[in-house]
Each structure stands twice: as C-alpha cells, then as structure tokens.
Amino acid sequence: MVKLNANSKISFKIGRQIWSYDDERLLSKRNWLNTAMSYDGILSSFKLEKAEIDLGISINNNKENHFGNDYREIVDYKIDDSTGIVTPVYNAQKLKTLNFLYFKYPFSDDLYLSYISLLSGAQDINSDSKLFFKLTQGLNVFYKSDNLFGHFSGYFQMGENQQGKEVVAYMTSAELGTKLSNNKISVSFGTDVISGNNYESNNYDYSKLDNNFDLLYGARYKFYGYLNHFTLTDRHTKNAGLVDLYFKSGYNITTKTKIEFHYHYFQTMYKAINPNGGFYDNFLGSEIDVVLSHKFSKEVLLKSGFAYGLPTNILAEFKNVKADMVNPFSSYLMLVVTPKFFY
C-alpha cells in the first residue's frame, strides 16, 4: 500500500489496505479469522474544518493485467453421464466491486454523526460478466462520556441479489449503557434487528423479492455471540431475519485486568417456513459469553474467553446439526502483541 499526501487535507491510499469504519457494521477488518480482511483499492481522504470524508473504490480480478475478467471461483465439477462433458460449478461469494462514500462530523468530543453510502457489485454465478448491484445507505450516531455511552444505527438496502431478485431490506442497531463506581463497572442493553422475509404475509411475491439485509463485509463475531451462529444471517435464519436482544456488563478488577459478561437472546424477525407444513416458532435460543483480559503493557494483552449456547431444536435444524447434541460451547486463550517499530 502506498500513501500519497496531496497536501495537509487531502491524501490517497493505493493498494491493499484495511477499510474499517465506526463499529464495523458494513466494512471491517474481521481479524478474528486466520487471515484478516483487507481491500485492494483506492482510498481518497478529505479533511475539512471539522468533518472527514472518505471515498473508496475497488474492482477485483483473479488475474493480473486483465480488466473485467471472470471473478467466480470453481468449487466443483459436474459430469454429464450421457455425453461425458465436464462443466465447472461456480461460487461467487466475493464481491467483484466495492465502492463507498463515508462522511463523519463530530459535534463534540463525546458525540459524532456519520453517514455511509456503499455500492457493491456481485457477479452472477451463471455468467462470466454480469453483475448485480446493491446500494446500502446508513446513518450512525455515537455518544461516549465519562459515565454514559450509546449508539444508534439505521441502514437501508436496495438493488438486486445474485439471483436477480429485487432487494428491499433494512437493519437497525441501538445500545445504551452507563459506567458506575468510578468507571469500574459498565452495564449496557441493546438490540439489533436484521430484516428478513415475512412469509406469513400475502402481500409479497418472494419469487421476485428479497427482504434479507446483506451485512456485506461487516463484522459478525463481536456482535452476534462468540459461538458465531449467525455468520450468514439469511441462511442461518431461513431468510426470516434476525433479532438479537443483549445485555453486557464489565468489571475492572484492577487497572490492568477486566472481566466481561454478555447475554444474547436470539429470535427470527418473522416466522420461517417449515417444510413439513406451517411455520417455525421465532425463538432460536440464547448465549452466554465470558471474557477475561489482562494487559501486561501497552504492547502485550492476554485474553481468554468462554461461550456457552442454549439453542433450540429449531436453530439446530437451521444449522443442519443433530437436535439431541449437547449444548455447544467454545473457549479460547489468545496472546495479542502489537509492537511499535517506529517512534
């Protein structure tokens, strides 16, 4: 990645880079994976008197020095029994193009407003050149003072999905919290709502319409429980949307040691269709997460976590696992080292 400064207020980044904004709902580094998320593109940054504006553009190819090539991935091959002809089976989960405009305006040191407009293009699985575009726009308000914090975010999405269906979807997120006992204790309540298809209504033709909100390259793990049940919210809710009601608390044991407790209550926004007839119940289960962290220095952090799930048989069926399995759990121990090479 190369950074070019036109002057003190205008700069450009060209090449592979991290795009991460606000709380990473749409664009994130997603560094919980073995390899973090990065973007190949051009980022133009403009600093005004108080506001900040970023403009990002990216077009992805599988081959060097070739513009507009097929960006699908071959995941399998299919053989015609009658002719013996072998044809590839494609997957096109990665976005061919991702472009955004981001605006941030701080009203004070405690409060800021941001706006993002993101145009994403995904390749048609059955075509080597056709793209389907989605436009996602959203507003965010973040507040943080000595003893009070919170946020509200609202996003609207329109365009076409990879099957060519019209997309009309939305997502909202809100959280309000406070700090107690000289900031040793924090408590917050929040909710996320991700839209889905209302199959009980006769007002929609879902052969042509999709109400599922696409999180694009946004973070999942840090929002929807550390068991990662909802990495693909459309598939893992049977296209019925997701509602996450949560409670979070934290306690600073010392200035360097902290313990956190999270509780999630999950349900679908609407009732999903049961292939055996009727509809599934909305409730999907709950989850408890506990994280203990100790900071040895500015550069070295040790974290351990434990996540325990209480899923319903409905979620087990959605995830294609046996309903009589023991409740899922996960634990980890992680050492984070962030050295600073240049001072």
Side-chain angles (χ1 to χ4, degrees):
M1 187 269 291
V2 175
K3 183 176 181 180
L4 304 174
N5 294 315
N7 53 46
S8 60
K9 296 184 177 181
I10 301 175
S11 65
F12 303 92
K13 291 182 181 179
I14 304 172
R16 182 158 296 178
Q17 56 194 287
I18 292 175
W19 288 346
S20 174
Y21 291 90
D22 299 322
D23 57 353
E24 302 186 312
R25 293 286 176 174
L26 299 179
L27 293 174
S28 69
K29 51 185 176 294
R30 296 177 72 175
N31 61 352
W32 184 249
L33 304 172
N34 289 331
T35 55
M37 179 74 70
S38 59
Y39 304 85
D40 294 334
I42 300 174
L43 180 68
S44 305
S45 298
F46 307 89
K47 292 184 178 180
L48 308 180
E49 184 176 350
K50 291 187 67 175
E52 300 175 12
I53 299 175
D54 279 4
L55 176 64
I57 300 174
S58 70
I59 298 176
N60 300 295
N61 291 319
N62 281 332
K63 300 177 182 178
E64 294 182 2
N65 303 320
H66 187 84
F67 184 82
N69 72 287
D70 193 349
Y71 197 54
R72 296 173 297 176
E73 295 178 308
I74 298 176
V75 295
D76 201 355
Y77 290 91
K78 181 172 60 177
I79 301 177
D80 190 313
D81 294 333
S82 59
T83 63
I85 297 176
V86 179
T87 56
V89 177
Y90 292 101
N91 189 346
Q93 290 186 345
K94 296 179 181 179
L95 295 175
K96 173 72 175 178
T97 180
L98 181 67
N99 315 279
F100 70 91
L101 173 67
Y102 176 80
F103 172 84
K104 178 180 179 180
Y105 185 87
F107 294 96
S108 66
D109 293 338
D110 301 332
L111 175 68
Y112 80 84
L113 170 75
S114 70
Y115 164 81
I116 189 168
S117 179
L118 196 151
L119 180 65
S120 57
Q123 189 167 338
D124 184 352
I125 294 177
N126 300 313
S127 170
D128 61 359
S129 58
K130 186 176 181 180
L131 297 180
F132 294 113
F133 287 93
K134 288 180 185 176
L135 177 64
T136 306
Q137 301 182 80
L139 282 173
N140 304 276
V141 179
F142 288 87
Y143 179 81
K144 185 177 181 181
S145 64
D146 291 337
N147 55 11
L148 187 67
F149 60 92
H151 81 268
F152 174 80
S153 301
Y155 299 94
F156 180 75
Q157 196 168 71
M158 59 189 294
E160 293 181 302
N161 66 13
Q162 283 186 276
Q163 289 73 45
K165 295 182 181 180
E166 180 187 6
V167 173
V168 180
Y170 67 90
M171 172 190 172
T172 61
S173 173
E175 182 181 15
L176 182 63
T178 185
K179 294 182 179 180
L180 308 169
S181 300
N182 296 320
N183 292 336
K184 292 190 69 174
I185 300 174
S186 64
V187 178
S188 67
F189 296 87
T191 180
D192 283 14
V193 177
I194 301 174
S195 68
N197 295 342
N198 183 4
Y199 291 111
E200 291 185 289
S201 173
N202 296 321
N203 297 327
Y204 307 102
D205 181 3
Y206 286 114
S207 65
K208 300 178 181 179
L209 178 67
D210 183 9
N211 289 143
N212 284 281
F213 186 87
D214 186 355
L215 294 171
L216 302 172
Y217 287 150
R220 274 82 158 165
Y221 177 82
K222 69 178 182 178
F223 293 121
Y224 307 117
Y226 294 161
L227 286 175
N228 241 4
H229 278 312
F230 304 102
T231 52
L232 300 172
T233 53
D234 53 350
R235 299 182 191 178
H236 299 156
T237 64
K238 294 296 183 182
N239 300 308
L242 179 67
V243 177
D244 175 19
L245 303 172
Y246 61 85
F247 164 78
K248 297 182 179 181
S249 64
Y251 177 68
N252 294 319
I253 301 172
T254 68
T255 57
K256 295 185 176 181
T257 306
K258 181 179 181 180
I259 187 169
E260 299 174 62
F261 172 87
H262 303 168
Y263 173 79
H264 295 267
Y265 176 98
F266 298 114
Q267 70 172 56
T268 56
M269 183 177 181
Y270 300 108
K271 292 182 181 294
I273 296 176
N274 190 328
N276 297 320
F279 298 91
Y280 290 106
D281 187 54
N282 294 81
F283 181 51
L284 297 177
S286 56
E287 180 176 325
I288 298 171
D289 302 328
V290 180
V291 178
L292 179 66
S293 59
H294 179 77
K295 201 168 189 178
F296 292 97
S297 65
K298 291 182 179 179
E299 295 82 15
V300 182
L301 173 68
L302 181 66
K303 294 184 72 173
S304 63
F306 178 79
Y308 185 77
L310 298 165
T312 62
N313 292 341
I314 294 172
L315 180 58
E317 187 172 340
F318 286 3
K319 300 282 289 185
N320 197 28
V321 298
K322 293 181 180 179
D324 59 351
M325 292 180 65
V326 297
N327 290 339
F329 64 89
S330 173
S331 62
Y332 68 89
L333 180 66
M334 178 171 62
L335 181 66
V336 182
V337 180
T338 53
K340 189 172 182 181
F341 295 103
F342 302 99
Y343 291 89

